[in-house]
């Protein structure tokens, strides 16, 4: 994490996860994701989001060494909630398309 940008980081994580699922927002500057999230954190986020079975305790310990365990847990919960919202958006879109057809 870059200094002085912690308040924007959850939004960057959320939008990065949604972007992985093909959900993009017109009012968000996606260059911010690269600015806010370090490469290793992005790798960790993608692994937890897309391949949770490949996540292991060593990965958890390796990312954000300067943060407390509780802060890392908070980020993991954020990742899971963003993924769940992306899945719900897809489900609602499918239901809407079915109802309109």
């Amino acid at each position: 994490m870059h200094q002085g940008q912690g308040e924007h980081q959850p939004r960057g994580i959320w939008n990065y996860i949604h972007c992985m699922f093909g959900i993009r927002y017109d009012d968000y500057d996606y260059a911010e994701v690269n600015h806010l999230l370090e490469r290793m954190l992005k790798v960790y986020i993608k692994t937890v989001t897309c391949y949770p079975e490949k996540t292991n305790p060593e990965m958890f310990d390796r990312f954000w060494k300067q943060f407390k365990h509780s802060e890392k847990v908070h980020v993991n919960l954020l990742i899971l909630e963003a993924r769940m919202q992306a899945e719900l958006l897809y489900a609602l879109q499918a239901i809407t398309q079915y109802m309109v057809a």
Side-chain angles (χ1 to χ4, degrees), residues 3 7-8 17 22 36 38 52 57-58 61-62 68 70-71 84 87 93 97-99:
Q3 293 295 327
E7 65 275 1
H8 298 291
I17 292 167
L36 293 174
E38 297 166 348
E58 291 79 29
D61 291 335
R62 213 176 3 193
K68 293 186 264 182
S70 62
E71 292 168 321
M84 184 173 66
E87 291 168 347
Q93 180 183 23
Q97 287 176 351
Y98 175 78
M99 297 300 282

Side-chain angles (χ1 to χ4, degrees), residues 14 53 65 71:
W14 194 273
E53 70 281 0
K65 291 183 180 192
E71 292 168 321

Side-chain angles (χ1 to χ4, degrees), residues 51-73:
Y51 314 102
E53 70 281 0
K54 294 182 180 180
T55 307
N56 58 47
E58 291 79 29
M59 289 180 71
F60 182 82
D61 291 335
R62 213 176 3 193
F63 94 93
W64 278 357
K65 291 183 180 192
Q66 71 273 28
F67 284 81
K68 293 186 264 182
H69 183 79
S70 62
E71 292 168 321
K72 292 180 181 184
V73 170

Side-chain angles (χ1 to χ4, degrees), residues 1-2 16 33-46 63-64:
M1 178 171 73
H2 298 281
Y16 178 59
V33 170
N34 290 330
H35 186 68
L36 293 174
L37 306 179
E38 297 166 348
R39 185 184 180 295
M40 286 306 299
L41 178 58
K42 286 173 39 178
V43 168
Y44 177 80
I45 290 169
K46 186 168 187 171
F63 94 93
W64 278 357

